[in-house]
Structure formats: structure tokens, C-alpha cells
């Protein structure tokens, strides 16, 4: 490390090396990471609700055990990501407060309702599938703790994606009513899943700077295209269709043409006007309040242990 921390930071980024918590970094780089990692953590925590809705109604003990394990993994990802954000000098209490007071966002996708059991399959296939396409490049993010957290999270997401795919495959090859339930579910989740990648590049506030800092490795539109290209073959293998009549292979581009999601709707959902925003936040606030005694007990125990050591 030279005497000039700014030059050293630039060198590290240019050489594709990792920035670590104790290294000097521009304040805006720190702020962008806190924003993205915290919002990612909030998404995992709020993201437990749509699937939590079906745990007691899973069609078999085996399905229930698997779904329970998946939702627990999401809690784990949330805590893992809060820990990564804490390395940037923020406290978890403050981050939770930013979520509960609506000053930080979470992913738009979790503001849609889970109306049928097939939605557990579609969330695994499409929502976790989109999460993987978005997160695999984050394993190469320039900030060390975030990149390393992503490696384990992506492995678990792959399991989640496969379990969803298997639920949908079973339904798609079941009775006509089950098949119809699977198709209806895919029809409802397709466009909200495309919107997970964020606004189109020309409207993305942070992309250019985040790409320059190698936090993001691909733009929102690049990843959305990659996701569409991946899903077409998988839908065929499932025996289901994607609800887009304009979906067509484009030989010149070497990619599928597709209909963009409704970005006005994305903006409304982000602003809090999605079908379930209010319910998700109320549920989270209530859970936080009901957990107050656990936090108080843990703090009291820690104080007691610290006291013992002093004596
Ligand atoms: N929803 O300038 P950009 C999961 C906001 S996966 C809500 O393009 P950026 C796994 C954006 O924050 C889901 N807000 O922003 C799971 C910004 O607002 P801000 C979580 C959105 O950061 C599966 C503004 O719009 N994954 O949880 C959305 O460069 C199943 C302008 O946008 C991650 O968070 C949206 N869809 O790119 C769990 C991945 N899109 O912050 C349970 C990490 C954009 O200035 C069950 N994050 N916004 O107030 C990222 O890769 C990026 O942050 C993007 C957005 C790509 C999401």
C-alpha cells in the first residue's frame, strides 16, 4: 500500500482484487454497499413471508419439511447479509430500523400474494432463478465480505431453485387441475420476476457507478436478458408456457426477444403500493415487537457474562 489511499483503492479495483473492511474506501462506495447489502438482507427477511404463508398447508410432510428448511435458509441469508453490512460500520439495529420505518427498500417481488401451492414451485423456479442470475456475478463483487457471503448464498439458492422446479414439474405432470394451477401460477409470477432486475438501464440511477466500482458486473438489462434466455428451455422441459406471445428467438442478437415488464407497476410497488406491501410491513413490525423480550434476554445474559469475566 502506497501513501495515497485513493490511488491504492483505484489500484485494487483495477487489478480485480478485493476491498476489505479496514481498507480506505470512498464514502460513496461505502454508502452504495450499505444500501445494496442492507436492501438485499431486508429482501431475504421479508421474503420469508410469501412462502411462510404455505408451510401449514403443504400437501405432505415431506413438502412441509423441505419448505420449512428453505424459509429457514432465507432467515440465515438475511442475518449473513446484515453481518456483511455491519463490516462497513453500521449497526444491525439501525438497519432494521431503516426497514421498519420504510426508509430502505426490499425487493418488489415479495409484495405479490401467494395464492396457490403452485406458487411455492414458481417462487423457487422463477424468483430464486432470478436471484441466482443476479447474485452469481456478485460473488466477484469488489467488496470482499459481500462477495464471500454470496458464494454460500448462491449454493443454497441453487437448491431452492431445483426444489421449486421439481414442485412445478410434479404439478405439470399431474391431474388437469394441477396442471392448470401450475400454469396460472407461472402466468402471475413471470412479469414480476422480470422486474426483480430493476429499472431498464437508461433509468437505473446507480448502475454506471456501481459497474465502475465493480460492485455490479452486469447491467440490469443484461441480467434480465440472460434470465429470459435461461427460462425458455426450462419452461419447455416443464411442459408449461411463458405468458408472452412476443417471445421469439432473434438470430441476429443471439437472444430471445421478449415483452418488458411494466416498469410503471414496478415503481408503484417500490413506492409501497403493491398488493401486499402494507401486510408485509405490518407483519414484520409485529414480529419485531414480539421478539423484543428475546433481544432483552440476550442482552441481559451477555451483560451477566461480561460481569462474571470482570470479577
Ligand atoms: N425492488 O439504480 P438501480 C432474494 C430500486 S432476491 C425494489 O438499478 P441498483 C432471494 C433500487 O434499490 C431479491 N427496489 O439500483 C429470495 C434503487 O433505489 P435506492 C433481493 C428496486 O441497486 C428468494 C432504485 O430502484 N436481491 O431475496 C428494485 O443499482 C425467494 C434504482 O435502481 C438483491 O437485493 C426491485 N426489484 O440495482 C428470498 C440483490 N429494483 O436503493 C426469499 C442485490 C431496483 O436508490 C425467497 N441487489 N430497485 O433507494 C442488486 O443487485 C441491485 O441492488 C438491484 C438494483 C439489481 C436490485
Amino acid at each position: 500500500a502506497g501513501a495515497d489511499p485513493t490511488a491504492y483503492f483505484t489500484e485494487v479495483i483495477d487489478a480485480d482484487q478485493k476491498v476489505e473492511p479496514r481498507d480506505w474506501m470512498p464514502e460513496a462506495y461505502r454508502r452504495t454497499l450499505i444500501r445494496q447489502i442492507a436492501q438485499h438482507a431486508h429482501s431475504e427477511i421479508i421474503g420469508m413471508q410469501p412462502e411462510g404463508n404455505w408451510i401449514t398447508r403443504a400437501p405432505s410432510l415431506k413438502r412441509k419439511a423441505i419448505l420449512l428448511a428453505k424459509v429457514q435458509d432465507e432467515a440465515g441469508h438475511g442475518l449473513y447479509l446484515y453481518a456483511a453490512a455491519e463490516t462497513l460500520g453500521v449497526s444491525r439495529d439501525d438497519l432494521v430500523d431503516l426497514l421498519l420505518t420504510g426508509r430502505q427498500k426490499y425487493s418488489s417481488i415479495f409484495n405479490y400474494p401467494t395464492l396457490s401451492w403452485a406458487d411455492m414451485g414458481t417462487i423457487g423456479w422463477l424468483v430464486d432463478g432470478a436471484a441466482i442470475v443476479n447474485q452469481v456475478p456478485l460473488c466477484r463483487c469488489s467488496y470482499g465480505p459481500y462477495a464471500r457471503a454470496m458464494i454460500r448464498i448462491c449454493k443454497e439458492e441453487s437448491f431452492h431453485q431445483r426444489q421449486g422446479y421439481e414442485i412445478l414439474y410434479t404439478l405439470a405432470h399431474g391431474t388437469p387441475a394441477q396442471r392448470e394451477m401450475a400454469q396460472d401460477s407461472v402466468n402471475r409470477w413471470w412479469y414480476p420476476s422480470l422486474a426483480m432486475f430493476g429499472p431498464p438501464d437508461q433509468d437505473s440511477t446507480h448502475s454506471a457507478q456501481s459497474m465502475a466500482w465493480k460492485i455490479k458486473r452486469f447491467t440490469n438489462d443484461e441480467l434480465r436478458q440472460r434470465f429470459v434466455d435461461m427460462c425458455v428451455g426450462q419452461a419447455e422441459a416443464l411442459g408449461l408456457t411463458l405468458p408472452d406471445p412476443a417471445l421469439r428467438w432473434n438470430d441476429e442478437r443471439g437472444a430471445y426477444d421478449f415483452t418488458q415488464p411494466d416498469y410503471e407497476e414496478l415503481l408503484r410497488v417500490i413506492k409501497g403500493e403493491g398488493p401486499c406491501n402494507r401486510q408485509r410491513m405490518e407483519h414484520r413490525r409485529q414480529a419485531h415487537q414480539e421478539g423484543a423480550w428475546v433481544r432483552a434476554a440476550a442482552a441481559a445474559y451477555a451483560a451477566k457474562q461480561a460481569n462474571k469475566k470482570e470479577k
Side-chain angles (χ1 to χ4, degrees):
D4 180 358
T6 317
Y8 180 65
F9 174 82
T10 310
E11 238 173 71
V12 167
I13 300 288
D14 287 349
D16 259 336
Q17 287 172 350
K18 299 286 179 234
V19 177
E20 295 298 339
R22 272 175 288 217
D23 294 344
W24 181 89
M25 60 188 89
E27 261 323 292
Y29 176 84
R30 186 187 300 275
R31 275 200 312 274
T32 267
L33 278 166
I34 292 173
R35 175 186 61 80
Q36 178 167 329
I37 301 172
Q39 296 190 147
H40 194 167
H42 302 329
S43 303
E44 297 281 357
I45 297 298
I46 298 281
M48 295 163 76
Q49 291 184 43
E51 290 167 297
N53 182 33
W54 280 90
I55 290 173
T56 58
R57 292 178 287 166
S60 72
L61 182 60
K62 186 179 119 191
R63 293 288 187 203
K64 186 187 294 220
I66 295 171
L67 186 59
L68 201 53
K70 177 183 193 279
V71 174
Q72 279 177 346
D73 284 352
E74 285 153 10
H77 296 173
L79 300 184
Y80 215 44
L81 285 162
Y82 282 131
E86 282 178 303
T87 65
L88 291 156
V90 285
S91 77
R92 187 180 307 185
D93 279 350
D94 287 345
L95 297 180
V96 169
D97 199 54
L98 287 168
L99 169 67
L100 296 182
T101 54
R103 282 174 294 159
Q104 272 185 346
K105 303 180 166 85
Y106 58 89
S107 179
S108 53
I109 193 73
F110 304 117
N111 293 307
Y112 292 87
T114 44
L115 303 178
S116 72
W117 169 253
D119 288 0
M120 300 306 97
T122 308
I123 287 181
W125 176 42
L126 293 181
V127 176
D128 288 284
I132 292 169
V133 169
N134 166 269
Q135 288 170 25
V136 165
L138 291 175
C139 297
R140 293 192 295 118
C141 152
S142 59
Y143 187 58
Y146 191 30
R148 290 188 289 272
M150 278 300 120
I151 294 171
R152 170 171 174 177
I153 290 177
C154 283
K155 285 186 181 161
E156 293 183 352
E157 299 290 18
S158 300
F159 157 67
H160 294 171
Q161 200 261 358
R162 289 297 300 187
Q163 71 83 40
Y165 186 88
E166 199 265 338
I167 290 176
L168 273 188
Y169 190 92
T170 305
L171 292 173
H173 293 80
T175 64
Q178 286 173 323
R179 219 198 111 67
E180 202 178 304
M181 183 176 32
Q183 185 62 60
D184 168 70
S185 174
V186 170
N187 293 350
R188 282 183 289 108
W189 288 90
W190 174 247
Y191 287 105
S193 299
L194 293 185
M196 285 175 74
F197 294 92
D201 292 351
Q202 72 270 16
D203 299 331
S204 166
T205 340
H206 305 292
S207 278
Q209 183 59 73
S210 288
M211 299 271 288
W213 278 327
K214 297 183 181 170
I215 294 172
K216 285 168 90 159
R217 295 290 186 154
F218 299 96
T219 69
N220 299 355
D221 285 329
E222 283 167 350
L223 293 176
R224 193 170 5 250
Q225 180 71 59
R226 184 178 292 190
F227 177 67
V228 171
D229 292 347
M230 188 185 92
C231 286
V232 173
Q234 294 180 355
E236 270 169 29
L238 281 168
L240 297 171
T241 54
L242 296 172
D244 180 359
L247 198 61
R248 195 162 292 120
W249 178 254
N250 182 328
D251 232 357
E252 249 166 62
R253 294 200 306 120
Y256 282 91
D257 290 336
F258 63 98
T259 306
Q260 293 289 328
D262 178 352
Y263 293 112
E264 296 298 316
E265 175 177 325
L266 174 64
L267 290 184
R268 283 196 303 275
V269 175
I270 294 178
K271 266 199 301 188
E273 292 156 29
C276 299
N277 293 60
R278 193 174 301 239
Q279 179 191 336
R280 301 290 187 240
M281 287 304 290
E282 265 168 25
H283 188 90
R284 187 67 233 138
R285 284 194 197 99
Q286 194 189 338
H288 190 69
Q289 264 168 20
E290 286 171 1
W293 70 272
V294 179
R295 293 189 296 280
Y301 180 75
K304 202 165 124 189
Q305 293 303 102
N307 208 3
K308 257 193 211 160
K309 266 193 208 133
E310 272 168 30
K311 277 181 191 157

